[in-house]
Amino acid sequence: MKKINIILFLVYFTLGLSQEVNLKDLYSKKEYDKAIKLAQTTLISSPEDFETQLILLKIYNSKCDYRAANALLAKMSSSDERFLIESLKTNYGLGNTKEAKRIYDQLIKDSKNEVLKKELLKFGLVTGLDPIYDDWKIKETQNIVFHFQQTVSEEKMRNIIVSRQKAFEKINNFFNSLLPKKIDFFV
């Protein structure tokens, strides 16, 4: 009986390990649809498999499918940095700026990884999550979130908002695109 259990364990372990390697390989080759199918199949038999969930979350974020990523996030919970980074991407991609900022601040504060902190700081500067923007004025239109330094006058803000919103509408009439979130515009 012990031999059978050991053999079954080894077969299960080998199959599970090879599926994870295949999944990572498909992800690295950007064969996202195949990777999604493999991950979903794996999660049917092992719904709590964190590594598979995490790779699937990365795939959804890489595809900018933030709704699917968010649905997966709702089933997950972890303090793992890799999970928090993907959660940050998902929330930012959906326009959940407050939650993205909370996760960003937590990662900056708690991470011991200096390379990660540098990358996060770059991300924060590009996305408006960095504390440097805390005192900036924020104005929103239907499609754009404007971030203004305190020194920009109200009149100039109005002119910029109106002209950029009109430009967006004119351009989007041609391209007819549907963006996952509003555009961040820094002045």
Side-chain angles (χ1 to χ4, degrees), residues 95-106:
N96 299 336
T97 311
K98 287 181 182 176
E99 180 62 8
K101 173 80 169 133
R102 185 194 67 73
I103 297 167
Y104 172 83
D105 290 341
Q106 178 184 345

Side-chain angles (χ1 to χ4, degrees), residues 10-69:
L10 290 174
V11 167
Y12 177 77
F13 180 76
T14 304
L15 286 175
L17 190 58
S18 74
Q19 281 186 334
E20 186 177 319
V21 170
N22 277 341
L23 191 54
K24 288 179 180 178
D25 189 43
L26 290 171
Y27 172 74
S28 68
K29 291 179 181 176
K30 297 185 181 186
E31 295 183 32
Y32 297 140
D33 293 332
K34 289 180 183 178
I36 289 170
K37 286 179 184 174
L38 179 59
Q40 289 172 336
T41 302
T42 302
L43 290 173
I44 288 171
S45 60
S46 303
E48 301 300 318
D49 182 345
F50 178 75
E51 293 301 322
T52 301
Q53 289 175 328
L54 185 62
I55 293 172
L56 185 56
L57 189 56
K58 286 177 131 181
I59 294 166
Y60 287 143
N61 282 332
S62 296
K63 286 185 69 170
C64 298
D65 188 350
Y66 300 114
R67 293 193 197 311

Side-chain angles (χ1 to χ4, degrees), residues 138-156:
I138 296 176
K139 307 279 184 180
E140 289 190 44
T141 64
Q142 182 180 354
N143 307 101
I144 305 171
V145 177
F146 293 90
H147 304 260
F148 293 99
Q149 284 183 311
Q150 293 290 337
T151 58
V152 179
S153 71
E154 287 293 326
E155 181 182 341
K156 191 166 189 170

